[in-house]
Amino acid sequence: MVVPSATTPARQETVAVAAAAASLQGIPTVDMSTAAASRGAAARQVARACAAGHGFFRCVGHGVPAAPAARLDAATAAFFALAPADKQRAGPASPLGYGCRSIGFNGDVGELEYLLLHANPAAVAHRARTIDAMDPSRFSAIVNEYIEAVRQLACEILDLLGEGLGLKDPRYFSKLITNADSDSLLRINHYPPSCTIHKLDHDDQCNIKSLVSTKASNGGNLTAGGRIGFGEHSDPQILSLLRANDVDGLQVLLPDRDGKEMWVQVPADPSAFFVNVGDLLQALTNGRLISVRHRVIATACRPRLSTIYFAAPPLHARISALTETITASSPRRYRSFTWAEYKTTMYSLRLSHSRLDLFNIDDDDSDNANEGKA
């Protein structure tokens, strides 16, 4: 169980402003601390936030202590401040390790550098030897402390979601990520100041506005509001929990009142986690929940640091729509597959590809009629 986090009076006004800004952009806020008093209401709130039309929400009252997050930020900021040659000893990302600009294996690039780590103590310890050569055990301890805290939060969210969806086993989702063979990851992204990267005039960069823009083909990495820091994509795993500093940049693709897809700027809030549904959760719920597409725009004149926990099942886990989500009016949409199979497909495609479409079931597909229960 995640305990409620305390918000100091000095932070209350900032948090209230962030909540108001998120609400104006159509981004739901879920206060996890309310689950202690009314678990049923909290479960319904999480389910609504993850449903079609959103698939993304701002999570407050989450109970993740500030100290582990601050220690991780300090440790990773120190790493990113190293000379390029020192950082490159932790790479190249394949896909784990240190990467710079290049994202994946198919030509995608971004305005960032990053660390991608397997969320497993032994794997973290192995990578720590090249990330913090002076004291790898210190780095390992900091990372693993943070991972344990966010894993607990992810499990609490998934358990509430299971209850809100009325699953026979409300802990079905969380069991996938607490499995000893879980393939969960931790990614730390560092976006250097864009005015430093591109040597553009400071005032021009800081005056760039990109609160809402229509989804369009922009021809390369340029957008109406700057350059692509991390390109449009959905997360392939079950659930993603993102925490960032006070620098804007994250955008999500949401429908407006007319159903037209719009890029919506997510107001920065270092006190909150931003949670989004992944491809596997969309498949497990037969499309009832939607894996939100998102991106990062590099416009800020201050560095942006974000940390994302990707909650994933074991590689051998079979992903198939739960029986509670299949009805006569909503037949099975996706064929059964393993997480390993999905990862292989993911690595063969560009970042922006709608990967789950490749697993759709045609109307005349016999798999639709014959597949068993999940």
Side-chain angles (χ1 to χ4, degrees), residues 5 26 49 81 163 197 212 228 241 330-331:
S5 60
E163 293 176 31
I197 295 173
V212 179
I228 295 294
L241 277 68
S330 182

mmCIF file of all heavy atoms in Angstrom, residues 5 26 49 81 163 197 212 228 241 330-331:
data_model
loop_
_atom_site.group_PDB
_atom_site.id
_atom_site.type_symbol
_atom_site.label_atom_id
_atom_site.label_comp_id
_atom_site.label_asym_id
_atom_site.label_seq_id
_atom_site.Cartn_x
_atom_site.Cartn_y
_atom_site.Cartn_z
ATOM 1 N N SER A 5 1.485 11.194 0.481
ATOM 2 C CA SER A 5 2.639 12.068 0.686
ATOM 3 C C SER A 5 2.164 13.387 1.278
ATOM 4 O O SER A 5 1.067 13.855 1.006
ATOM 5 C CB SER A 5 3.354 12.322 -0.641
ATOM 6 O OG SER A 5 2.480 12.932 -1.560
ATOM 7 N N GLY A 26 -7.459 19.644 -20.202
ATOM 8 C CA GLY A 26 -8.227 18.413 -20.331
ATOM 9 C C GLY A 26 -7.510 17.194 -19.806
ATOM 10 O O GLY A 26 -7.837 16.064 -20.182
ATOM 11 N N ALA A 49 -9.777 7.758 -16.013
ATOM 12 C CA ALA A 49 -8.621 8.486 -16.533
ATOM 13 C C ALA A 49 -7.860 7.677 -17.574
ATOM 14 O O ALA A 49 -7.227 8.242 -18.475
ATOM 15 C CB ALA A 49 -7.682 8.865 -15.382
ATOM 16 N N ALA A 81 26.617 15.653 -16.490
ATOM 17 C CA ALA A 81 27.562 16.769 -16.489
ATOM 18 C C ALA A 81 28.989 16.328 -16.805
ATOM 19 O O ALA A 81 29.874 17.168 -16.984
ATOM 20 C CB ALA A 81 27.532 17.480 -15.138
ATOM 21 N N GLU A 163 -9.735 -2.993 -10.031
ATOM 22 C CA GLU A 163 -10.998 -2.874 -9.317
ATOM 23 C C GLU A 163 -11.992 -2.028 -10.105
ATOM 24 O O GLU A 163 -13.184 -2.370 -10.200
ATOM 25 C CB GLU A 163 -10.749 -2.255 -7.941
ATOM 26 C CG GLU A 163 -9.937 -3.140 -7.002
ATOM 27 C CD GLU A 163 -9.626 -2.451 -5.682
ATOM 28 O OE1 GLU A 163 -10.451 -1.622 -5.248
ATOM 29 O OE2 GLU A 163 -8.557 -2.736 -5.097
ATOM 30 N N ILE A 197 21.967 24.215 -27.628
ATOM 31 C CA ILE A 197 22.156 23.229 -28.691
ATOM 32 C C ILE A 197 22.197 23.898 -30.056
ATOM 33 O O ILE A 197 23.066 23.639 -30.883
ATOM 34 C CB ILE A 197 21.014 22.195 -28.677
ATOM 35 C CG1 ILE A 197 21.058 21.382 -27.392
ATOM 36 C CG2 ILE A 197 21.094 21.265 -29.886
ATOM 37 C CD1 ILE A 197 19.874 20.457 -27.226
ATOM 38 N N VAL A 212 -0.784 24.288 -27.718
ATOM 39 C CA VAL A 212 -1.636 23.346 -28.424
ATOM 40 C C VAL A 212 -1.372 23.493 -29.919
ATOM 41 O O VAL A 212 -1.356 24.598 -30.432
ATOM 42 C CB VAL A 212 -3.137 23.612 -28.160
ATOM 43 C CG1 VAL A 212 -3.993 22.623 -28.928
ATOM 44 C CG2 VAL A 212 -3.440 23.537 -26.671
ATOM 45 N N ILE A 228 11.915 18.612 -32.264
ATOM 46 C CA ILE A 228 11.498 17.401 -31.567
ATOM 47 C C ILE A 228 12.594 16.963 -30.607
ATOM 48 O O ILE A 228 13.708 16.655 -31.009
ATOM 49 C CB ILE A 228 11.199 16.268 -32.563
ATOM 50 C CG1 ILE A 228 9.996 16.624 -33.442
ATOM 51 C CG2 ILE A 228 10.946 14.958 -31.826
ATOM 52 C CD1 ILE A 228 8.691 16.732 -32.688
ATOM 53 N N LEU A 241 5.260 5.618 -15.715
ATOM 54 C CA LEU A 241 5.175 6.656 -14.688
ATOM 55 C C LEU A 241 6.316 7.624 -14.911
ATOM 56 O O LEU A 241 7.494 7.274 -14.774
ATOM 57 C CB LEU A 241 5.273 6.054 -13.285
ATOM 58 C CG LEU A 241 3.995 5.468 -12.660
ATOM 59 C CD1 LEU A 241 3.574 4.209 -13.411
ATOM 60 C CD2 LEU A 241 4.232 5.126 -11.194
ATOM 61 N N SER A 330 -18.304 -6.163 -28.434
ATOM 62 C CA SER A 330 -16.882 -5.817 -28.451
ATOM 63 C C SER A 330 -16.050 -7.091 -28.532
ATOM 64 O O SER A 330 -15.453 -7.533 -27.550
ATOM 65 C CB SER A 330 -16.516 -5.021 -27.181
ATOM 66 O OG SER A 330 -15.152 -4.638 -27.192
ATOM 67 N N PRO A 331 -16.010 -7.719 -29.718
ATOM 68 C CA PRO A 331 -15.258 -8.971 -29.876
ATOM 69 C C PRO A 331 -13.757 -8.737 -29.751
ATOM 70 O O PRO A 331 -13.292 -7.596 -29.749
ATOM 71 C CB PRO A 331 -15.634 -9.417 -31.292
ATOM 72 C CG PRO A 331 -16.000 -8.154 -32.005
ATOM 73 C CD PRO A 331 -16.653 -7.286 -30.963
#
